[in-house]
């Protein structure tokens, strides 16, 4: 229940984010992109954060129409270069939701057949704030039993608090 509450909080955080651009040294815009079964998916809006040693990332495509949303949370996972496995701990969750079809795809310890990783790849300082990038990949299992393969996942400019 705790992890789903955290996901709800992260989705609410998406409402204040803006459309992203490519990363430049001065850019602090956050976004999420990935390939789902080989097809590129990039969020219209995105957010990410490392706070109190916890990593979170969210993204939404067609946010006004509520088409698709991504949310992930990893408790006690904030070290650059460490590979974190979603399926290794109860407090790590990856969720991708196709709202039109009402299918939720999960990578968690409790989702049989799912597996995936997240790696925080770098941090940078812009003015007085710090930001981090992360990569992710895996196989997510849907609430209808179907599977999707996530490759080339990228979270850009997660703010470090």
């Amino acid at each position: 229940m705790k992890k789903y509450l955290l996901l709800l909080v992260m989705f609410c955080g998406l409402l204040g984010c803006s459309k992203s651009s490519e990363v430049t040294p001065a850019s602090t815009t956050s976004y999420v992109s990935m390939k789902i079964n080989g097809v590129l998916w990039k969020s219209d809006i995105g957010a990410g954060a490392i706070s109190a040693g916890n990593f979170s990332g969210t993204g939404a495509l067609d946010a006004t129409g509520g088409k698709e949303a991504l949310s992930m949370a990893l408790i006690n996972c904030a070290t650059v270069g460490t590979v974190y496995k979603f399926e290794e701990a109860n407090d790590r969750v990856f969720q991708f939701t196709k709202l039109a079809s009402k299918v939720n795809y999960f990578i968690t310890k409790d989702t049989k057949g799912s597996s995936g990783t997240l790696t925080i790849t770098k941090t940078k300082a812009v003015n007085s704030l710090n930001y981090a990038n992360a990569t992710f990949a895996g196989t997510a299992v849907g609430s209808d039993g179907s599977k999707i393969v996530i490759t080339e996942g990228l979270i850009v400019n997660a703010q470090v608090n």
Side-chain angles (χ1 to χ4, degrees), residues 94-150:
F94 173 101
Q95 179 179 355
F96 179 72
T97 303
K98 290 189 172 195
L99 298 171
S101 63
K102 297 182 181 172
V103 176
N104 295 309
Y105 293 91
F106 293 98
I107 303 173
T108 68
K109 185 174 183 178
D110 296 330
T111 305
K112 188 174 181 177
S114 73
S115 64
T117 60
L118 180 130
T119 305
I120 301 168
T121 56
K122 74 174 196 171
T123 59
K124 68 180 179 181
V126 178
N127 299 321
S128 62
L129 298 174
N130 293 311
Y131 297 87
N133 292 352
T135 60
F136 61 94
T139 300
V141 177
S143 53
D144 63 354
S146 63
K147 290 186 178 183
I148 58 173
V149 176
I150 306 293

Side-chain angles (χ1 to χ4, degrees), residues 67-117:
K67 187 175 177 183
E68 297 174 344
L70 170 74
S71 178
M72 61 183 79
L74 295 97
I75 307 302
N76 298 319
C77 299
T79 304
V80 174
T82 300
V83 177
Y84 296 104
K85 294 183 178 183
F86 286 100
E87 69 274 12
E88 282 188 347
N90 286 326
D91 52 6
R92 299 178 187 173
V93 63
F94 173 101
Q95 179 179 355
F96 179 72
T97 303
K98 290 189 172 195
L99 298 171
S101 63
K102 297 182 181 172
V103 176
N104 295 309
Y105 293 91
F106 293 98
I107 303 173
T108 68
K109 185 174 183 178
D110 296 330
T111 305
K112 188 174 181 177
S114 73
S115 64
T117 60

